[in-house]
Amino acid sequence: MIIPDSVRVPIYKDNLIAGLAMYQYRASALAPAFRAFVVVVGFLILSGAVNTAIIGSNGVLNRISEDGVLPIGSGSRTRASVPPTGS
């Protein structure tokens, strides 16, 4: 094992990835840098997931508005989709 059970269970049971970085470099000044690196990588992964969700939902909404499933006015405004107005 990389981290012995006697250390892993009582200290790092809630945060194993940061525990791995801290246990391997516990006597080094780089330990806080590794913990910060883990936080930054986690933030980037979650940001990518949010970005994918926003782009995906935008694509779905555009598609169903172009197909006419959503009411008029919610889709793209081209000459073919805008009803004539005025007299």
Side-chain angles (χ1 to χ4, degrees), residues 57-70:
S57 62
N58 187 23
V60 169
L61 288 174
N62 284 337
R63 180 62 188 190
I64 62 175
S65 66
E66 288 171 359
D67 289 345
V69 177
L70 289 178

Side-chain angles (χ1 to χ4, degrees), residues 25-82:
Y25 298 98
R26 64 185 176 266
S28 172
L30 293 177
F34 283 117
R35 181 170 277 185
F37 177 73
V38 168
V39 169
V40 169
V41 169
F43 174 77
L44 291 175
I45 290 171
L46 291 176
S47 297
V50 168
N51 186 28
T52 302
I54 291 171
I55 291 174
S57 62
N58 187 23
V60 169
L61 288 174
N62 284 337
R63 180 62 188 190
I64 62 175
S65 66
E66 288 171 359
D67 289 345
V69 177
L70 289 178
I72 293 177
S74 60
S76 62
R77 293 283 187 159
T78 62
R79 285 195 173 270
S81 66
V82 178

